[in-house]
Amino acid sequence: MSDNKNNMSHWADQMAERIIREKGEKPLYTCASGITPSGTVHIGNFREIITVDLVVRALRERGKNVRFIYSWDDYDVFRKVPKNMKDPELLASYLRKPITLVPDTSGVAENYARANEVRVENILPTVGIYPEYIYQAARYRAGYYAEGIKRALEKKEEIKAILNEWRTEPLGDDWFPVSVFSSFTDKDNTKVTDWDGEYKITYTDLDENKSETIDIRSTPNTKLPWRVDWPMRWAKEGVDFEPGGKDHLTEGGSYDTSKKVVELFGGTAPVSMRYDFIKLKGMGGKISSSGGEVADLYDVLEIYTPEIVRYMFVGTRPNSEFAISFDLDVLKIYEDYDNCERIYFGLLDVKEQRKEKEKRIYELSQVDSDHIPTEPGYQAPFRHLCNLFLIHESNVDEALESISDVTEGQKDRLRARLVCAKNWLEKYAPEEFKWSLATTTDPIDVKDNERQALKDLASYVNSYLDEMNEKEFSTYIYKAAADNGIENADFFTLTYRALISKEKGPKLAGFIKTVGKEKILQILSKY
RNA sequence: GGGCCGCUAGCUCAGUAGGUAGAGCAACGCCCUUUUAAGGCGUGGGUCAUUGGUUCGAAUCCAAUGCGGCUCACCA
């Protein structure tokens, strides 16, 4: 790995330096991220995770000891049933309960929240991200935050004053900085009515109209509301860095109030940075809970290899919005990545400043930061891989075998790309990208001169294909057309119809060569 | 109403620790007699939204303005 101590070309490095500058030299730096797993954790949520991962890497490369915590805010309340969930009526009966008490109607995990968590925890190692997970429901229920809750109650007036700075409707005199899940119903439709100055609070269940006094240590149904919970945890964990979406990082947003509230808990606010949303392009109408398109990391990893997924985030400033494309842009993204790789390995000469930047992007894009590749990948254009895959009748292994000049070090990466090409073709590619060899279909109807032209072509394939390059062989394609009085354009169309039952196809000479003599002749011999 | 982001070539954007404006595509020209989102070589094209300020020097920093967008003032 190169020495990045002074490399400031990338935003993650700049952020790492800022954290060290603002927080001072510390034996341990804590970087945090987190979300409420109340639905699919989508690719926009992933942006926060990888943003932290990149800063963590930059800090570690500076020799720092870093803890990366990811908070599952699964003691939050189940507020609405996402549209695409199984058994919505059953789920609806659990509204207002904590999401860990909601059943998982998909049947994969012990509860609703856990199902969403597991999905993320299983996939993050694929892109080289290994946070330490913290489960808030378990912590709250174990009384882990009892002192924090007590502290919040003690500082009730100060907290109220801070929150009221931005509220249109000030919090009333009867407000307490805690919310309670009822012991009777598990729901949060409750109102706290009294606090004894120590650990006991009294609340009323508004559904059942029953009251009860509980000890927050032994009956931990109590949780802090978000704007108090967040700063309490900053203080508890000593968080030095945590990014946020633009909803949090706006004036009067939760970061603003939390950085004041955290002081009441004896802590200081972490360094933060704002990330923007991710748009999707070309997915073709996958419906999310909110009615728009949604994709999660699994969807993206189907068509982009892990390093390219990282590359898209690494190469974009977090505070600008960008789109992840599932359409033809995929080809360009692969090309861009290959360009970056060529620059890294010195195969493409660019200005020094750009070179430094691209090299850093390449490093941070790699899944394993300790093992940056020592040779570039096999840089076949994505489109070519699509064609190889189709030539070999949708068999990835055969397609891989057909490429002879691949080194051992390139093989795994190339296979991963072929699988992505396969997935892209099957799910997102436009029709003109898809075809199959007409080896088993009946011959098309042709006129006599067309038949003769195809016979000529077969003969040229038989005699010359193996020993010629694309360009040399292409002259025989034109010869076959010209000798039989067919316009070039018409002959190309004819040949595509004969070979792949379509009007157009991949560049013909190269295509014939890639398919190989045997299969081409198998088809052309029908004429 | 507050805050934030964007405004750079026809299009999509890069360039923001200040130092002579970039890429890809499109366009135009030439070439490979020759299908495709072809290939090669070359050319043109921008008062960096506007105005002012700081500076020897501003796309870059500051202040206003305009247009577009997001977000907070519920909950999390």
Side-chain angles (χ1 to χ4, degrees):
Chain A
M1 197 188 305
S2 63
D3 178 11
N4 294 304
K5 283 197 179 68
N6 298 312
N7 190 339
M8 291 293 280
S9 64
H10 195 268
W11 56 263
D13 295 303
Q14 293 168 10
M15 189 51 60
E17 294 288 344
R18 192 180 139 200
I19 291 163
I20 295 167
R21 194 171 62 240
E22 290 188 15
K23 292 292 182 174
E25 288 294 335
K26 298 180 71 173
L28 175 68
Y29 292 86
T30 299
C31 298
S33 177
I35 196 174
T36 303
S38 59
T40 304
V41 179
H42 55 73
I43 196 67
N45 305 132
F46 174 70
R47 187 172 206 177
E48 179 175 301
I49 302 175
I50 192 169
T51 298
V52 176
D53 176 70
L54 294 170
V55 172
V56 166
R57 287 192 184 193
L59 280 167
R60 287 190 177 141
E61 284 171 11
R62 285 166 172 73
K64 305 304 181 194
N65 187 22
V66 186
R67 186 168 171 236
F68 178 0
I69 56 177
Y70 194 78
S71 170
W72 287 120
D73 296 339
D74 51 13
Y75 206 37
D76 288 346
V77 65
F78 188 49
R79 292 191 301 159
K80 62 177 181 185
V81 182
K83 275 178 189 158
N84 52 352
M85 290 289 165
K86 286 183 193 163
D87 214 342
E89 286 171 20
L90 175 69
L91 288 174
S93 68
Y94 287 86
L95 288 170
R96 306 313 310 177
K97 295 186 182 186
I99 50 177
T100 38
L101 292 186
V102 177
D104 172 27
T105 50
S106 70
V108 301
E110 56 265 39
N111 64 62
Y112 180 87
R114 189 63 193 143
N116 292 318
E117 292 168 7
V118 165
R119 208 171 147 76
V120 173
E121 292 177 13
N122 286 344
I123 196 71
L124 284 184
T126 307
V127 288
I129 299 179
Y130 304 90
E132 173 188 336
Y133 298 101
I134 291 177
Y135 305 93
Q136 298 303 345
R139 285 199 159 181
Y140 266 111
R141 286 186 189 139
Y144 187 81
Y145 296 129
E147 294 303 325
I149 294 170
K150 179 165 176 264
R151 185 76 177 161
L153 288 163
E154 287 164 0
K155 297 289 180 182
K156 180 175 99 165
E157 291 308 318
E158 289 94 323
I159 292 171
K160 196 199 290 181
I162 291 166
L163 299 186
N164 279 343
E165 282 180 45
W166 284 279
R167 290 181 67 97
T168 40
E169 241 179 275
L171 295 162
D173 290 338
D174 58 348
W175 180 80
F176 284 91
V178 292
S179 58
V180 177
F181 287 111
S182 164
S183 306
F184 309 107
T185 65
D186 292 327
K187 299 187 181 184
D188 73 342
N189 191 19
T190 59
K191 181 159 181 53
V192 175
T193 54
D194 193 33
W195 169 53
D196 74 347
E198 287 294 322
Y199 294 96
K200 290 200 171 62
I201 56 172
T202 304
Y203 73 92
T204 301
D205 181 319
L206 299 174
D207 293 321
E208 306 278 312
N209 202 20
K210 293 179 190 165
S211 291
E212 156 178 64
T213 298
I214 57 172
D215 188 310
I216 57 176
R217 293 166 301 185
S218 55
T219 312
N221 294 357
T222 313
K223 93 180 271 289
L224 297 172
W226 166 246
R227 284 179 187 245
V228 185
D229 174 65
W230 203 25
M232 182 275 290
R233 289 189 280 112
W234 283 349
K236 185 94 181 169
E237 304 293 342
V239 176
D240 297 299
F241 173 70
E242 180 165 1
K246 53 189 171 183
D247 50 341
H248 295 319
L249 295 208
T250 190
E251 178 151 318
S254 53
Y255 183 80
D256 258 12
T257 53
S258 294
K259 75 184 176 201
K260 292 189 171 187
V261 172
V262 70
E263 293 176 11
L264 303 174
F265 290 98
T268 55
V271 172
S272 194
M273 79 188 299
R274 207 177 60 179
Y275 59 85
D276 211 307
F277 297 148
I278 300 293
K279 287 186 299 187
L280 300 172
K281 188 163 171 275
M283 270 201 91
K286 240 188 127 182
I287 301 303
S288 80
S289 53
S290 58
E293 286 182 318
V294 73
D296 67 7
L297 188 52
Y298 288 83
D299 296 315
V300 179
L301 280 168
E302 275 184 351
I303 62 163
Y304 291 107
T305 60
E307 59 275 13
I308 292 183
V309 173
R310 290 185 63 95
Y311 171 77
M312 291 190 282
F313 288 90
V314 171
T316 312
R317 307 173 77 83
N319 67 356
S320 58
E321 183 176 282
F322 77 100
I324 292 184
S325 291
F326 291 76
D327 58 13
L328 287 173
D329 290 352
V330 172
L331 313 199
K332 186 176 180 337
I333 299 292
Y334 273 85
E335 210 169 283
D336 288 347
Y337 178 81
D338 284 348
N339 248 324
C340 177
E341 186 171 61
R342 282 198 287 277
I343 291 169
Y344 180 84
F345 285 101
L347 302 173
L348 186 63
D349 207 28
V350 293
K351 283 183 195 156
E352 193 53 41
Q353 198 176 0
R354 167 141 187 244
K355 189 172 180 174
E356 191 186 332
K357 182 163 189 160
E358 296 276 347
K359 286 178 78 164
R360 186 61 179 143
I361 288 172
Y362 185 78
E363 284 177 357
L364 289 171
S365 298
Q366 300 312 306
V367 171
D368 184 346
S369 55
D370 293 329
H371 298 92
I372 307 292
T374 51
E375 61 174 328
Y378 187 87
Q379 297 199 334
F382 196 74
R383 182 169 198 167
H384 183 64
L385 297 180
C386 288
N387 288 332
L388 273 180
F389 172 73
L390 292 171
I391 286 169
H392 293 92
E393 288 153 4
S394 304
N395 186 316
V396 168
D397 289 317
E398 281 182 25
L400 187 62
E401 291 295 316
S402 74
I403 308 171
S404 55
D405 55 340
V406 183
T407 67
E408 276 307 310
Q410 294 173 327
K411 221 163 193 170
D412 288 344
R413 278 181 283 170
L414 182 54
R415 168 188 294 279
R417 275 195 184 200
L418 275 163
V419 171
C420 287
K422 165 190 157 74
N423 293 332
W424 184 72
L425 278 168
E426 289 172 354
K427 287 196 168 180
Y428 307 106
E431 278 309 308
E432 55 267 32
F433 268 76
K434 301 179 208 169
W435 47 265
S436 59
L437 284 174
T439 41
T440 57
T441 54
D442 292 334
I444 56 169
D445 292 331
V446 291
K447 296 177 197 154
D448 288 345
N449 65 327
E450 291 174 337
R451 181 179 309 281
Q452 188 55 46
L454 290 173
K455 279 177 186 284
D456 287 355
L457 181 62
S459 144
Y460 298 140
V461 166
N462 192 35
S463 308
Y464 307 122
L465 184 66
D466 288 343
E467 65 212 44
M468 288 184 171
N469 64 30
E470 274 180 47
K471 192 161 173 75
E472 288 165 345
F473 185 74
S474 66
T475 60
Y476 285 93
I477 298 175
Y478 303 118
K479 183 167 164 53
D483 289 350
N484 294 285
I486 303 175
E487 290 294 324
N488 286 332
D490 294 337
F491 184 60
F492 279 106
T493 304
L494 173 69
T495 310
Y496 286 123
R497 284 174 54 221
L499 292 178
I500 58 174
S501 315
K502 293 183 76 110
E503 301 284 315
K504 288 183 173 182
K507 200 171 176 181
L508 193 55
F511 177 62
I512 288 176
K513 197 156 170 60
T514 312
V515 173
K517 186 164 147 180
E518 191 188 338
K519 283 182 178 166
I520 293 290
L521 289 180
Q522 186 189 339
I523 298 168
L524 292 183
S525 62
K526 297 173 190 169
Y527 297 92

